[in-house]
């Protein structure tokens, strides 16, 4: 549980709890959407790498549905997705990114035409790290 990990880290380390960045890859990307949706005041920014915005689990919120995106207003969100991703189609991610923008999220979308369901290239990682520096200031 993410909340338990943050609490454990707070007990052992001096951290700035106003600058917690939530990041996930693939199914972890869905975890980012859902965790933020359930506790939006806890996180400073979100990053989703090749993540899916929906899962086929009973009663799980679907972030393709705009009604579930209202709490994302003003949150910085970095999204990376490979155009050739066969697990989580990039078209769905592009659609959700536009819906997030419509609801006031500050979205940085990086689509790599040569990538599938995998990590970003070094250029995208550099862009991500610059984004992190900017949003955590």
């Amino acid at each position: 549980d993410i909340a338990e990990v943050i609490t454990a880290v707070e007990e052992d380390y001096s951290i700035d709890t106003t600058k917690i960045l939530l990041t996930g890859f693939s199914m972890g990307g869905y975890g980012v959407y859902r965790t933020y949706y359930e506790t939006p005041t806890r996180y400073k920014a979100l990053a989703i790498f090749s993540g899916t915005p929906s899962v086929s689990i009973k009663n799980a919120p679907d972030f393709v549905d705009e009604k579930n995106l209202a709490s994302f207003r003003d949150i910085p969100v970095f999204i990376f997705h490979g155009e050739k991703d066969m697990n989580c189609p990039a078209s769905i991610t592009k659609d959700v990114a536009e819906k997030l923008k419509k609801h006031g999220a500050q979205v940085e979308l990086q689509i790599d035409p040569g990538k599938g369901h995998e990590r970003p290239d070094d250029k995208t990682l550099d862009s991500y790290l610059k984004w992190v520096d900017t949003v955590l200031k």
Side-chain angles (χ1 to χ4, degrees):
D1 181 52
I2 295 169
E4 290 175 359
V5 170
I6 292 171
T7 299
V9 170
E10 287 176 313
E11 289 172 2
D12 293 334
Y13 301 95
S14 175
I15 65 168
D16 185 345
T17 59
T18 67
K19 294 184 177 181
I20 297 175
L21 170 64
L22 189 58
T23 304
F25 174 81
S26 190
M27 184 63 137
Y30 178 80
V32 169
Y33 287 113
R34 183 161 183 174
T35 301
Y36 182 77
Y37 174 77
E38 293 173 352
T39 54
T41 59
R42 184 93 198 228
Y43 304 98
K44 173 82 172 178
L46 313 173
I48 300 155
F49 293 87
S50 301
T52 182
S54 61
V55 293
S56 55
I57 298 172
K58 187 177 180 181
N59 299 321
D62 182 347
F63 298 102
V64 173
D65 187 339
E66 284 193 56
K67 74 178 182 190
N68 295 321
L69 299 177
S71 65
F72 289 79
R73 180 172 199 75
D74 297 327
I75 187 78
V77 184
F78 184 95
I79 301 173
F80 163 80
H81 214 100
E83 188 72 50
K84 296 178 180 178
D85 191 330
M86 301 301 282
N87 296 346
C88 307
S91 59
I92 295 172
T93 293
K94 291 175 189 177
D95 179 57
V96 170
E98 287 306 311
K99 290 175 182 175
L100 284 166
K101 288 178 187 177
K102 181 178 169 185
H103 285 276
Q106 303 161 21
V107 178
E108 168 86 22
L109 177 63
Q110 300 274 328
I111 301 291
D112 188 325
K115 291 280 189 175
H117 193 70
E118 58 190 294
R119 72 183 289 284
D121 62 15
D122 290 343
K123 181 180 175 187
T124 302
L125 286 174
D126 286 343
S127 178
Y128 167 68
L129 292 174
K130 288 176 186 169
W131 176 84
V132 168
D133 284 343
T134 301
V135 300
L136 294 183
K137 285 188 180 194

